Amino acid sequence: MTLATLSPADARDMVAAGARLIDIRGADEHARERIPGAANLPLDRIDTLPHDARPVVFHCKSGMRTAGNAARLRAAAGDCQAYILDGGIDAWRNAGLPTASDRSHPIEIMRQVQITAGALVLIGALLGLFVAPGFFGLSMFVGAGLMVAGVTGWCGMANLLRIMPWNRNTAS
């Protein structure tokens, strides 16, 4: 099931007229940058969306999560009109509309996972080439972990990064 999409300007007008703007990104993403007035209700808790008669506009970072979960969002919205912000917060920002940024919050966990996994694979490959072939095992271990995360939805590296000191004060 698809939901109708709104341009950033149309979404702004709907919100000004009383529609609810719901950010389905994780709390860490929302804490770092958000559209003023958007309520954060991560996708894994979207079923707790309070029902009322006001229309709802869902958004994520680029529009991919909202489009990919349109049926779930439609069901969560109940009987009210529901829309997707086309292009997410990226399109909102690119349209010159205001966002609230707090760079004191760390970058989102999945970007931290990508940076860490990439660095470990690169280090393992370089050490394997220039020091000892056994270091290739590091790259294989990280690759296997990424495969497990993709298949099961559970990411040990993300869980480990979440408890690191720089992430402890992030909203969860």
Side-chain angles (χ1 to χ4, degrees), residues 49-66:
L49 178 70
H51 291 189
D52 66 29
R54 295 181 300 155
V56 62
V57 179
F58 295 104
H59 86 83
C60 62
K61 180 178 180 354
S62 67
M64 296 296 291
R65 268 179 279 188
T66 50

Side-chain angles (χ1 to χ4, degrees), residues 45-101:
R45 294 190 349 243
I46 200 66
D47 299 331
T48 64
L49 178 70
H51 291 189
D52 66 29
R54 295 181 300 155
V56 62
V57 179
F58 295 104
H59 86 83
C60 62
K61 180 178 180 354
S62 67
M64 296 296 291
R65 268 179 279 188
T66 50
N69 290 282
R72 187 170 178 195
L73 298 174
R74 172 72 261 163
D79 294 331
C80 70
Q81 295 175 327
Y83 303 91
I84 293 173
L85 171 58
D86 191 26
I89 193 171
D90 290 344
W92 182 277
R93 186 183 336 93
N94 291 338
L97 297 172
T99 63
S101 295

